[in-house]
Amino acid sequence: MNQTIDVIKQHRTIRSYKDIPVQENIIEELLEVARRTSTSTGLQRASIIRVTDPGIREKIADLCQQKYVNEVPEFWVFIVDTYRNRKISEEKGYISMVGRDMDRFFQGFSDCLLMAQNVLVAVESLGMGGALLGNIHNDSQKVIDLLQLPKYTFPAIALAFGYPDQNPQIKPRMEMNLRFFENKYKDLSPYLEAFKEYDEAMQEYYDLREANKRVDSFTNQIVTRDKNQLAKRRYMLDVVEKQGFILKGDEFKE
Amino acid sequence: MNQTIDVIKQHRTIRSYKDIPVQENIIEELLEVARRTSTSTGLQRASIIRVTDPGIREKIADLCQQKYVNEVPEFWVFIVDTYRNRKISEEKGYISMVGRDMDRFFQGFSDCLLMAQNVLVAVESLGMGGALLGNIHNDSQKVIDLLQLPKYTFPAIALAFGYPDQNPQIKPRMEMNLRFFENKYKDLSPYLEAFKEYDEAMQEYYDLREANKRVDSFTNQIVTRDKNQLAKRRYMLDVVEKQGFILKGDEFKE
C-alpha cells in the first residue's frame, strides 16, 4: 500500500553484517525516531545504552549466545528507566513508594519495546537490517552489572543493526485467523488440527542459521523450546525486585 | 529522510475520530503488518481481540476513563497469549511448568508491544491516527472478564484508531542526550538543572484535552502522576499470577 507497510512486511532478522559503520547523521535521525515514539502517560521511562566497548560486547555476546553481537556496527540496549523520574521527584522533596511499583515498571518496559520497534522500522526503511534480542534475559543481572545500571532500571530488549551481509528468506508465520478474534477469546481446539497447514509451511522453510537443514514444525518447536529453557530466565522478576521494584500490591505501605 | 521516518516523527496521539469506518482491505493489510512483526524465538505469543460490541466498549471506556473508546472506529486489545502454545504442548503429551514462567510471559508481552507499534505506524502511514492505551491496566481483571480471556493470557496494551477529527500539536519530548548513553548509565544529577530547558518547552505546549490551558512542567507532572496513582494498578502482577503465571524462579518444581 505504501513504502512504510512494504518495509514492515519485508522484515527479516539479520544476523550477519557488513563491516560498514552507520553514519552519525543516521544515528541522529534514529534518535529522533526514538524520541518521537509513544510513551506511557508522557513520562518517557525508557533510556538507551549504546554499547561500543568491545569488552562489554564480548560478554554480552557470550550470555546472549549470539556471536554477531561482537561484529554488528550498532548494539543498543533499551532500558526501563524509572531512576531518572524518581531522582526528579526526590529533588522536588517528594519521596514515595509509587515510583517503584510494577505499574511504573511495565510503563517503562512498554516504552522500551515501542521505541525499539520504531527504531528497527526506521533502520529497515534506510536499507539496513537489524535483530531484536530478548536473549539479554539469559542473564539480566549480568547485563545490569556490565552497563552499570542503577536501581530502578532494568534492561528490556536489545537491538543490533547495520548493513546486512545476508538475504534470508521471509519466515512463515501463522495465519491471523488463528490469533485475531472478535470481542472474546476463541479456543481453537484441537490445535494440532488447526496448525496442520502452518506446520507444513514451516517445514518448507530453510533457516540460514543452519543452512540446508529444514526447520522443525511450529508445534514441535514449542515443545523443544520448553524442554531447553535456560533455568535462569525464570528468575527475571527476582532481578527486577532486586533493582528496587515492588512486585505485589499488598507490599505497599503509605 | 524518507516517508517511513516522516510518519514516525509526526506521531501524535489522536483522541477524536471521524465517523468513518476503516475499510476491510485496510484491516487485512494491518493484520499482515501484525503478522510480520518480530516475535520472540518465533513463537508468536500475542493475539488480538477486536472489540466491536458497544456494551464491552462502554465498560472499557469507563475503566480506561477515555470516552473516545466508545466512538473510535477500531479498538484492538493485544494480549499475551501463552494459552495457545500451552494447549499445543498438551496435545503433544508434554505438560510442564515452563510454559507458565515469567520468561514466557515477558516474551508474549514484548510481542504485543512490538506488534501494536507496527500496526500504529502502518495506521499513521495510511493517513489515519491512533492512540495506544495502557489505561486498560486500571483494571486488568475486568478486561480479562469482559473479553473472556482464558488462563495463560493477559491484556498488554490496546490500540484505538481511525480517521482523525483533530490535529494536535506535536508534544515536546526530552532531548535524547538526557537518555542516550554510551557503555554505561550516566547519572545527570542535579536533574532539576538538567531538565530546566525541557520544563520550559513543556509549559509552552497546549494540550488539546484541556484547550487553552497550559500544561504543567515535566518535572511537576512526575510528582502529580505519582500522587494520583490508582492503587489498583499496583496489583498488576497479582492478576498475572491469577492468570496462571509463576512469578518467581524458586516456585518451580520439576
Side-chain angles (χ1 to χ4, degrees):
Chain A
M1 284 196 170
N2 61 41
Q3 188 215 54
T4 304
I5 291 175
D6 284 347
V7 164
I8 293 173
K9 283 164 69 176
Q10 287 299 312
H11 168 72
R12 282 93 36 92
T13 294
I14 300 299
R15 294 185 180 85
S16 177
Y17 296 88
K18 288 186 180 140
D19 187 20
I20 301 172
V22 182
Q23 303 93 299
E24 275 308 312
N25 68 320
I26 290 181
I27 300 292
E28 290 299 318
E29 196 73 0
L30 296 176
L31 289 180
E32 195 56 27
V33 160
R35 188 171 176 237
R36 298 308 328 160
T37 304
S38 296
T39 161
S40 188
T41 68
L43 291 190
Q44 303 165 67
R45 292 191 196 85
S47 291
I48 303 172
I49 314 273
R50 181 192 199 180
V51 184
T52 57
D53 182 312
I56 301 175
R57 285 277 197 109
E58 201 183 341
K59 290 186 181 86
I60 295 180
D62 282 352
L63 74 87
C64 285
Q65 302 172 346
Q66 300 289 341
K67 272 199 159 180
Y68 68 87
V69 171
N70 286 309
E71 289 124 32
V72 63
E74 294 290 332
F75 189 80
W76 296 9
V77 182
F78 294 76
I79 60 165
V80 177
D81 189 351
T82 70
Y83 176 84
R84 176 172 46 239
N85 290 7
R86 200 170 156 76
K87 290 293 267 189
I88 288 171
S89 289
E90 277 178 21
E91 289 183 20
K92 283 191 169 281
Y94 180 72
I95 298 161
S96 103
M97 287 174 81
V98 173
R100 298 167 53 196
D101 74 1
M102 286 309 284
D103 184 30
R104 293 286 177 276
F105 175 85
F106 275 105
Q107 289 181 335
F109 195 90
S110 300
D111 279 10
C112 286
L113 271 291
L114 298 175
M115 198 183 264
Q117 180 59 52
N118 253 0
V119 174
L120 175 59
V121 168
V123 157
E124 291 171 337
S125 78
L126 293 165
M128 295 183 287
L132 289 163
L133 290 103
N135 320 38
I136 53 168
H137 298 299
N138 286 353
D139 195 344
S140 316
Q141 184 60 56
K142 193 158 184 184
V143 175
I144 289 167
D145 297 340
L146 285 168
L147 305 180
Q148 302 178 44
L149 302 186
K151 286 196 94 166
Y152 318 124
T153 65
F154 188 78
I157 195 156
L159 175 66
F161 65 93
Y163 294 92
D165 198 24
Q166 61 179 183
N167 187 17
Q169 240 187 297
I170 292 184
K171 203 170 176 179
R173 296 278 174 78
M174 67 175 77
E175 295 291 334
M176 287 306 290
N177 60 10
L178 298 170
R179 59 200 302 211
F180 182 66
F181 311 125
E182 197 167 342
N183 293 318
K184 63 179 181 191
Y185 193 87
K186 193 171 161 190
D187 190 301
L188 301 169
S189 301
Y191 278 85
L192 294 184
E193 187 59 37
F195 274 76
K196 213 173 158 200
E197 210 175 303
Y198 180 47
D199 267 352
E200 281 163 13
M202 188 64 96
Q203 285 171 285
E204 294 296 317
Y205 163 77
Y206 285 82
D207 190 332
L208 278 189
R209 279 179 290 185
E210 297 174 83
N212 310 319
K213 198 189 140 199
R214 288 197 177 181
V215 298
D216 209 351
S217 71
F218 178 72
T219 57
N220 279 344
Q221 282 182 44
I222 293 169
V223 176
T224 309
R225 282 274 176 190
D226 278 359
K227 283 186 176 164
N228 297 316
Q229 164 84 329
L230 289 176
K232 209 173 231 173
R233 291 183 69 124
R234 293 171 196 158
Y235 287 83
M236 191 163 155
L237 277 185
D238 297 76
V239 180
V240 169
E241 191 171 39
K242 217 176 141 199
Q243 283 299 95
F245 292 96
I246 301 167
L247 302 190
K248 299 287 213 66
D250 280 342
E251 291 168 43
F252 275 83
K253 292 166 205 84
E254 276 180 301
Chain B
M1 285 198 173
N2 61 40
Q3 186 214 53
T4 305
I5 291 175
D6 284 347
V7 163
I8 293 174
K9 283 164 68 176
Q10 287 298 312
H11 167 73
R12 282 92 37 91
T13 293
I14 301 299
R15 295 184 179 85
S16 177
Y17 295 89
K18 288 184 179 144
D19 188 18
I20 301 172
V22 181
Q23 303 93 300
E24 275 307 312
N25 67 320
I26 290 182
I27 299 293
E28 290 299 319
E29 194 74 358
L30 296 176
L31 289 179
E32 195 56 25
V33 160
R35 188 170 176 240
R36 298 306 330 159
T37 303
S38 296
T39 161
S40 190
T41 67
L43 291 190
Q44 304 166 66
R45 294 190 194 85
S47 291
I48 303 172
I49 315 272
R50 180 191 200 180
V51 184
T52 56
D53 182 312
I56 300 176
R57 286 276 197 111
E58 200 183 341
K59 289 186 183 85
I60 294 179
D62 281 351
L63 73 89
C64 286
Q65 303 173 346
Q66 301 288 342
K67 272 200 159 179
Y68 67 88
V69 170
N70 286 308
E71 289 123 33
V72 64
E74 293 292 331
F75 189 80
W76 295 8
V77 183
F78 295 76
I79 61 165
V80 178
D81 188 353
T82 70
Y83 176 84
R84 175 172 47 236
N85 291 6
R86 201 171 155 75
K87 289 294 267 189
I88 288 171
S89 290
E90 279 178 22
E91 289 183 20
K92 282 189 169 282
Y94 180 71
I95 298 161
S96 104
M97 287 175 82
V98 173
R100 297 167 55 196
D101 75 359
M102 285 310 283
D103 185 30
R104 294 286 178 276
F105 176 84
F106 276 104
Q107 290 182 334
F109 196 90
S110 300
D111 279 10
C112 286
L113 271 291
L114 299 175
M115 198 184 262
Q117 181 59 52
N118 254 0
V119 174
L120 175 58
V121 167
V123 157
E124 291 171 336
S125 78
L126 293 166
M128 296 184 286
L132 289 164
L133 290 102
N135 320 38
I136 52 169
H137 298 299
N138 286 352
D139 195 343
S140 318
Q141 184 60 57
K142 193 158 183 183
V143 174
I144 289 167
D145 296 340
L146 286 168
L147 305 180
Q148 302 177 44
L149 301 186
K151 286 195 98 167
Y152 318 123
T153 65
F154 188 78
I157 194 155
L159 175 66
F161 66 92
Y163 293 93
D165 198 23
Q166 62 180 184
N167 187 17
Q169 241 186 295
I170 291 185
K171 202 170 177 179
R173 295 278 175 79
M174 66 176 78
E175 294 291 335
M176 287 306 288
N177 59 10
L178 299 169
R179 60 201 301 212
F180 182 65
F181 311 124
E182 195 166 343
N183 294 318
K184 61 180 183 190
Y185 193 86
K186 192 171 162 190
D187 191 301
L188 300 169
S189 301
Y191 279 86
L192 294 185
E193 188 57 38
F195 275 75
K196 213 175 157 198
E197 209 175 304
Y198 180 47
D199 268 353
E200 282 164 13
M202 189 63 97
Q203 285 172 287
E204 295 295 318
Y205 163 79
Y206 287 81
D207 190 333
L208 278 187
R209 277 179 291 187
E210 297 175 82
N212 309 319
K213 198 190 139 200
R214 287 198 178 178
V215 297
D216 209 350
S217 72
F218 178 73
T219 57
N220 278 343
Q221 282 182 44
I222 293 169
V223 176
T224 309
R225 282 275 177 189
D226 279 358
K227 284 187 175 163
N228 297 316
Q229 163 83 329
L230 289 175
K232 209 173 232 171
R233 292 183 69 125
R234 293 172 198 157
Y235 288 83
M236 191 162 156
L237 277 186
D238 297 78
V239 180
V240 169
E241 191 171 38
K242 216 174 144 200
Q243 284 298 96
F245 292 97
I246 301 167
L247 303 190
K248 299 288 213 66
D250 280 341
E251 291 167 43
F252 275 80
K253 293 168 204 79
E254 273 178 305

